[in-house]
Amino acid sequence: MAIQNKITVIAGVTGGLGRVVAREFAAQGAKLVLVGTNADRLTQLADELKLDPESYLTVVADLAQSGSAQKVLEAALAKFRRVDILFNFIGGWIAGKPVPEVPPEEVENMLAQHFWTSFNLAQTFIPHMRENHWGRYVIISTPGVGAPPANSLPYTVGKAAEETLMLTLSEELKNTGVTANVLRVRSIDVEHQRKREPSPKNASWTTPEEIAAALLYLCSEEANRVNGARIPLYGAP
């Protein structure tokens, strides 16, 4: 499942998941394009992970904005000449109100963070991957898309739109060597509470390391038949 020298773009890399995935992929020999909105945090992450300057690149970009994804691709090509793997970990959480009380701007915010960032990345990077006849695109979603809980409209709408994008892409990418997949998690257990303080509440949480392991598999040659999957990483309901 070697990913040695695979050029890996990680959008939203300075969050709890992105940091772990960057660390694990660097350890496997991948070359990284670290994308975020804060230059200092990107530099701090690269220093923290002790990355070889020849093996990584940082790019400041707001991927909800049209044209920003093209900036990332151009920077990656200038240094590494290609891109093989694309992860989008951008996106916050807005929920907690019943539908009649949801301000439209909260829905717009979630669509911007989840759908529009993934859409902009897809429009920019997928043609490049198709030209190379190899590529992996993965996003993180939630089982709430399939069974939306009450008071969750903004977040669930954002993720549902993002999943629809990925599933549509997967149909368009059949037999191209490029795949598009979704990992579903209930909550990302950055602090490893499931192990330290196990409870019914955190029993279905997923650690960043578990997500990184799934991503390593999806990016392997052995996973070349996995396309359009919505993979559950949250155990029993």
Side-chain angles (χ1 to χ4, degrees):
M1 297 197 304
I3 57 166
Q4 185 83 20
N5 294 321
K6 292 292 186 185
I7 312 305
T8 303
V9 174
I10 308 177
V13 71
T14 57
L17 173 59
R19 303 171 82 86
V20 171
V21 171
R23 183 189 71 206
E24 296 299 321
F25 271 66
Q28 295 292 326
K31 296 182 178 180
L32 306 179
V33 181
L34 309 176
V35 185
T37 57
N38 185 296
D40 291 340
R41 291 181 67 187
L42 289 170
T43 300
Q44 181 181 10
L45 175 61
D47 291 343
E48 177 186 312
L49 297 180
K50 297 180 172 59
L51 299 177
D52 180 344
E54 296 302 312
S55 71
Y56 82 94
L57 170 70
T58 64
V59 185
V60 176
D62 177 1
L63 290 167
Q65 301 300 314
S66 177
S68 292
Q70 185 64 35
K71 172 185 174 183
V72 177
L73 177 60
E74 289 173 358
L77 295 181
K79 180 157 187 173
F80 298 122
R81 305 184 68 177
R82 72 177 195 280
V83 169
D84 304 302
I85 296 166
L86 175 62
F87 300 142
N88 186 11
F89 302 149
I90 296 169
W93 182 86
I94 297 177
K97 300 183 182 76
V99 170
E101 298 176 15
V102 173
E105 56 268 24
E106 291 189 355
V107 178
E108 292 169 359
N109 185 308
M110 287 292 88
L111 284 169
Q113 291 191 47
H114 299 287
F115 173 74
W116 285 111
T117 59
S118 288
F119 175 80
N120 290 337
L121 287 167
Q123 286 211 314
T124 300
F125 283 85
I126 292 300
H128 169 76
M129 290 179 173
R130 291 192 66 159
E131 286 181 4
N132 293 338
H133 306 291
W134 200 98
R136 302 287 188 265
Y137 186 15
V138 188
I139 61 103
I140 308 299
S141 189
T142 171
V145 170
N151 304 325
S152 69
L153 183 74
Y155 178 70
T156 306
V157 163
K159 282 301 183 186
E162 191 177 25
E163 282 200 13
T164 299
L165 165 70
M166 297 300 287
L167 296 178
T168 304
L169 266 179
S170 71
E171 289 296 311
E172 297 170 359
L173 291 171
K174 286 181 176 179
N175 303 313
T176 66
V178 183
T179 64
N181 290 292
V182 176
L183 295 181
R184 283 181 167 182
V185 300
R186 291 193 187 280
S187 183
I188 300 176
D189 188 9
V190 175
E191 303 298 328
H192 297 87
Q193 293 184 34
R194 194 186 74 208
K195 181 177 181 179
R196 294 191 293 105
E197 300 174 5
S199 70
K201 178 182 177 181
N202 61 36
S204 63
W205 293 5
T206 310
T207 67
E209 289 79 8
E210 290 165 337
I211 296 171
L215 291 170
L216 283 167
Y217 169 69
L218 288 175
C219 294
S220 68
E221 292 297 335
E222 292 85 346
N224 63 0
R225 305 303 296 170
V226 184
N227 181 42
R230 288 178 285 188
I231 301 172
L233 293 183
Y234 47 86

